């Protein structure tokens, strides 16, 4: 049986993409204690071994890929028993909130893309956190109107939006679930009560963030028991979380939005002495999951479908791929290939910064941004040989005359992604988050509260011109989360998504190109080295073959930064021969199927 730390190191080396940071995040075999795999099933061990060898997991009936073996096991058990992808998601999310609490949970938000096998339709659900009604555009500004420092805004109550994940779990189950709701929490409740082994990644994250985690008593007591950071392999129990899950399983997700639990959330947010928030009971009471029109863009006879505003994910991934669609992408080792990808990305991010926000609050040229004629116009800009000297937002077709200033918001890598295909042919792609690692660092009832409001622009105006993604009461902050389902002839061929802040967009777009253009299987596509351009430096993944392109890309005119790029892609490819799954070697997840 492979041990945790060894698995990560091997996976990274085999894929050829290990960075210094990833190596540090992983654990040397001799240092690795048994961290819980001994208690996991042989199928989990086999999935870990496949990942370590750079091999995809293959299956014929169903598959689940997510960020932690315990979560994947919970989802697999539901699918094996005949549950749908929506049922399995509830079980996976309940466990992720326990074993990967730094990334997602009941105190956060999520976007979900659903392919329905019976109708052939794509539905997208928005469970994004929402700004309190008392929030103003000055929420993240000091008395002089200047933006706060990022972590001064993040840590405490100010950044906490109304959580959407519990309501989204319920909404998905109400629509597409067939298994009994209460049974979907059993795995998480059992792990929370009996205890689970702290993973290397969780232990490293706690150690890195110990000062901030130590600021508030409930958070400190859980992550720094006795004043010391949790260590890898420690057995961690969370009876408060088990109690919340029991209430949720008995009473439904509404327990979060009224009564004592809602009051606890409000008290926690408002009670922070050094940085209180303005969340109120009414904000929770009026929270609603929103069904949004899916955004689909063309790429190589496929439709790449995902989450529209308030996420910028599907529009920006769609613009990048839509522009590349007009060109041969080229060979993976050709610098011109990366020039086309890099400049398509710069052009898309320019539009993102100008136009994209919560379209319930600001008019947006949503259709114009992925209209074929507009994509062709932008794609024509990729025809040269050198990096574009200047990139500006375009003028998509729009029935409004609006002037927006360019956005200023910082999105750092965190978050988690779940991909599931069930035995009925339904597919689910859900990216789930509490934003920064450990969110606002506030804990109540065994779960962390998000800091999602810092995804808004801290500046509300630039030289008198408003910014689309400014804070407004009741608004949802712009996201980069890109849960995606790629369709061919109306049927899914790839279910994919990733954490990673605004780099999510590049990670997902590149993995789709890798699978569809370069013929990589799901594991190869998620493991390959990253090159991401967000309208600034061209970031190349340290230690990967892509990093070797640095001198050539610099010669083309890019400013290049070679660095760790910590994606967490989970992909399921659906082919004639069945399902092929891949889990990002940079993180602890696996794919599992039968
Ligand atoms: N907080 C990550 C995102 O929504 O993009």
């Amino acid at each position: 049986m492979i041990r945790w730390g060894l698995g990560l190191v091997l996976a990274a080396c085999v894929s050829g993409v290990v960075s210094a940071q990833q190596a540090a995040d992983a654990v040397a075999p001799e240092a690795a204690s048994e961290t819980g795999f001994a208690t996991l099933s042989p199928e989990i061990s086999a999935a870990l071994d496949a990942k370590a060898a750079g091999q995809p997991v293959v299956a014929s009936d169903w598959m689940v890929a997510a960020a932690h073996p315990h979560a994947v096991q919970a989802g697999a058990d539901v699918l094996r028993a005949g549950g749908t992808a929506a049922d399995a998601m509830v079980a996976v999310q309940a466990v992720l909130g326990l074993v990967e609490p730094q990334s997602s949970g009941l105190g956060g938000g999520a976007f979900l893309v659903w392919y329905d096998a019976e109708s052939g339709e794509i539905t997208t659900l928005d469970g994004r956190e929402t700004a309190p009604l008392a929030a103003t555009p000055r929420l993240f500004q000091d008395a002089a109107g200047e933006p706060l420092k990022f972590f001064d805004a993040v840590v405490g109550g100010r950044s906490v939006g109304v959580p959407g994940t519990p309501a989204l779990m319920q909404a998905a189950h109400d629509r597409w679930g067939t298994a009994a709701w209460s049974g979907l929490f059993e795995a998480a409740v059992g792990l929370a009560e009996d205890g689970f082994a702290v993973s290397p990644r969780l232990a490293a994250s706690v150690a890195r963030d110990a000062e901030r985690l130590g600021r508030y008593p409930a958070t400190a007591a859980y992550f720094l028991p006795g004043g010391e950071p949790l260590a890898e392999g420690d057995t961690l129990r969370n009876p408060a979380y088990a109690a919340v899950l029991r209430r949720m399983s008995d009473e439904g997700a509404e327990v979060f939005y009224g009564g004592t639990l809602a009051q606890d959330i409000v008290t926690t947010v408002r009670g922070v002495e050094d940085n209180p928030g303005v969340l109120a009971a009414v904000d929770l009471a009026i929270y609603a999951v929103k069904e949004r029109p899916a955004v689909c863009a063309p790429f190589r006879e496929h439709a790449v479908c995902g989450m529209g505003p308030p996420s910028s994910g599907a529009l920006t991934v769609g613009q990048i791929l839509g522009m590349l669609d007009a060109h041969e992408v080229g060979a993976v080792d050709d610098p011109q290939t990366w020039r086309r990808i890099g400049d398509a990305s710069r052009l898309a991010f320019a539009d993102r910064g100008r136009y994209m926000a919560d379209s319930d609050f600001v008019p947006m040229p949503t259709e114009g941004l992925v209209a074929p004629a507009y994509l062709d116009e932008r794609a024509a800009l990729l025809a040269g040989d050198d990096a574009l000297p200047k990139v500006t937002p375009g003028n998509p077709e729009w029935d409004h005359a609006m002037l927006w200033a360019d956005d200023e918001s910082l999105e750092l890598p965190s978050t988690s992604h779940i991909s599931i295909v069930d035995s009925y042919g339904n597919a689910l792609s859900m990216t789930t988050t509490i934003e920064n690692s450990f969110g606002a660092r506030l804990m109540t009832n065994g779960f962390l509260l998000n800091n999602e409001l810092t995804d808004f622009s801290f500046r509300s105006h630039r030289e008198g011109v408003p910014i689309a993604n400014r804070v407004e009461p009741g608004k949802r902050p712009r996201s980069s989360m890109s849960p995606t389902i790629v369709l061919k002839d109306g049927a899914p061929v790839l279910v994919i998504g990733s954490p990673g802040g605004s780099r999510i967009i590049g990670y997902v777009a590149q993995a789709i190109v890798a699978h569809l253009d370069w013929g990589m299987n799901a594991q190869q596509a998620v493991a390959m080295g990253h090159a991401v351009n967000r309208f600034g430096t061209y970031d190349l993944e340290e230690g990967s073959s892509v990093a070797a392109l640095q001198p050539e890309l610099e010669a083309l005119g890019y400013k290049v930064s070679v660095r760790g790029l910590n994606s967490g892609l989970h992909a399921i490819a659906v082919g004639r021969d069945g399902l092929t799954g891949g889990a990002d070697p940079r993180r602890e997840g696996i794919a599992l199927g039968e």
Side-chain angles (χ1 to χ4, degrees):
M1 183 176 293
I2 199 155
R3 297 193 300 179
W4 194 297
L6 178 59
L8 282 182
V9 171
L10 278 179
C13 293
V14 167
S15 66
V17 294
V18 69
S19 72
Q21 186 58 52
Q22 292 148 18
D25 284 351
V27 181
E30 60 275 17
S33 57
E34 288 297 342
T35 55
F37 282 137
T39 62
L40 292 174
S41 66
E43 63 181 343
I44 294 284
S45 297
L48 283 161
D49 288 342
K51 179 177 156 181
Q55 300 295 327
V57 171
V58 292
S60 57
D61 204 16
W62 52 260
M63 186 168 283
V64 48
H68 193 288
H70 279 311
V72 172
Q73 179 80 71
D77 291 345
V78 171
L79 293 166
R80 187 179 292 117
T84 66
D87 296 323
M89 175 279 288
V90 175
V92 171
Q93 178 65 76
V95 175
L96 281 180
L98 176 71
V99 298
E100 198 201 28
Q102 70 274 30
S103 297
S104 77
L106 300 176
F111 294 121
L112 187 155
V113 183
W114 175 265
Y115 168 81
D116 195 79
E118 205 173 304
S119 65
E121 281 176 12
I122 292 271
T123 303
T124 65
L125 294 182
D126 165 2
R128 185 71 162 164
E129 298 90 333
T130 303
L133 294 176
T136 74
R138 301 279 308 261
L139 184 69
F140 297 121
Q141 296 170 12
D142 64 18
E146 287 303 310
L148 297 180
K149 288 195 189 125
F150 183 67
F151 280 109
D152 291 350
V154 165
V155 180
R158 187 188 297 256
S159 63
V160 180
V162 183
T165 298
L168 181 63
M169 292 162 79
Q170 178 89 60
H173 183 264
D174 287 350
R175 282 167 185 244
W176 305 299
T178 56
W181 169 255
S182 58
L184 302 175
F185 299 90
E186 279 169 12
V189 168
L191 285 164
E193 288 179 343
D194 298 343
F196 64 95
V198 170
S199 76
R201 187 174 176 84
L202 174 55
S205 301
V206 172
R208 256 197 308 270
D209 204 57
E211 186 278 319
R212 284 187 277 262
L213 292 171
R215 290 190 202 174
Y216 304 117
T219 319
Y222 187 67
F223 292 106
L224 310 166
E228 290 300 316
L230 289 170
E232 177 201 336
D234 282 355
T235 300
L236 188 57
R237 293 184 179 80
N238 192 339
Y241 185 71
V244 165
L245 292 180
R246 282 190 194 285
R247 286 192 64 188
M248 192 167 166
S249 73
D250 289 346
E251 302 167 51
E254 42 288 20
V255 290
F256 281 83
Y257 299 97
T260 54
L261 202 44
Q263 196 49 55
D264 286 349
I265 294 171
V266 169
T267 305
T268 304
V269 168
R270 297 178 86 97
V272 180
E273 275 178 22
D274 61 346
N275 196 14
V278 294
L279 191 73
V282 64
D283 297 310
L284 288 138
I286 62 173
Y287 185 82
V289 170
K290 298 188 183 186
E291 182 177 338
R292 308 273 191 186
V295 167
C296 297
F299 185 62
R300 316 287 190 231
E301 298 174 349
H302 295 75
V304 180
C305 294
M307 192 73 222
S311 186
S312 62
L315 283 170
T316 315
V317 169
Q319 282 202 327
I320 295 169
L321 296 177
M323 283 181 249
L324 293 176
D325 196 40
H327 302 268
E328 291 285 321
V329 164
V332 69
D333 56 354
D334 180 353
Q336 285 298 326
T337 299
W338 296 100
R339 178 190 61 76
R340 281 186 283 274
I341 293 173
D343 274 357
S345 186
R346 290 167 74 205
L347 290 162
F349 268 85
D351 278 358
R352 174 183 178 273
R354 174 67 58 88
Y355 296 112
M356 298 184 200
D358 182 348
S359 54
D360 286 350
F361 281 73
V362 293
M364 264 189 61
T366 306
E367 286 171 18
L369 285 164
V370 286
Y374 179 64
L375 292 174
D376 284 349
E377 185 189 315
R378 298 289 270 175
L381 299 172
L382 305 179
D385 296 316
D386 291 324
L388 289 169
K390 188 167 158 55
V391 167
T392 53
N395 291 299
E397 194 170 305
W398 201 8
D399 56 7
H400 274 70
M402 305 268 327
L403 187 58
W404 294 138
D406 291 340
D407 184 74
E408 187 175 285
S409 63
L410 186 60
E411 295 162 48
L412 297 178
S414 49
T415 310
S416 203
H417 182 80
I418 304 166
S419 291
I420 306 177
V421 175
D422 66 27
S423 57
Y424 312 101
N426 304 305
L428 175 149
S429 184
M430 172 167 147
T431 311
T432 174
T433 186
I434 57 169
E435 216 301 293
N436 200 245
S437 190
F438 302 101
R441 278 72 171 178
L442 290 176
M443 208 165 182
T444 179
N445 290 280
F447 60 89
L448 285 159
L449 296 173
N450 70 84
N451 67 296
E452 213 67 52
L453 302 186
T454 59
D455 275 358
F456 283 118
S457 173
F458 285 20
R459 285 190 196 279
S460 47
H461 291 71
R462 204 181 276 284
E463 292 167 8
V465 179
I467 290 171
N469 186 35
R470 66 189 177 278
V471 184
E472 295 182 75
K475 190 175 177 181
R476 301 185 176 196
R478 186 189 65 200
S479 174
S480 300
M481 295 196 291
S482 310
T484 302
I485 298 180
V486 181
L487 303 173
K488 181 147 195 239
D489 301 327
V493 295
L494 188 66
V495 183
I496 192 165
S498 179
S502 53
R503 291 194 182 89
I504 289 173
I505 288 161
Y507 297 150
V508 170
Q510 183 184 315
I512 292 171
V513 171
H515 183 60
L516 296 183
D517 266 356
W518 298 325
M520 294 188 192
N521 67 40
Q523 186 59 40
Q524 292 165 330
V526 303
M528 78 169 291
H530 294 304
V532 179
N533 196 319
R534 295 175 298 167
F535 199 20
T537 56
Y538 210 144
D539 298 333
L540 306 183
E541 188 168 7
E542 191 177 36
S544 75
S545 56
V546 173
L549 293 165
Q550 179 175 11
E552 283 139 311
L553 291 176
E554 283 173 346
L556 292 178
Y558 295 101
K559 195 163 183 288
V560 173
S561 164
V562 176
R563 47 170 296 149
L565 290 173
N566 197 4
S567 57
L569 288 151
H570 294 122
I572 301 173
V574 186
R576 277 195 213 96
D577 303 334
L579 307 171
T580 311
D584 201 314
R586 302 161 187 85
R587 300 209 184 196
E588 294 171 338
I590 53 169
L592 200 59
E594 271 178 17

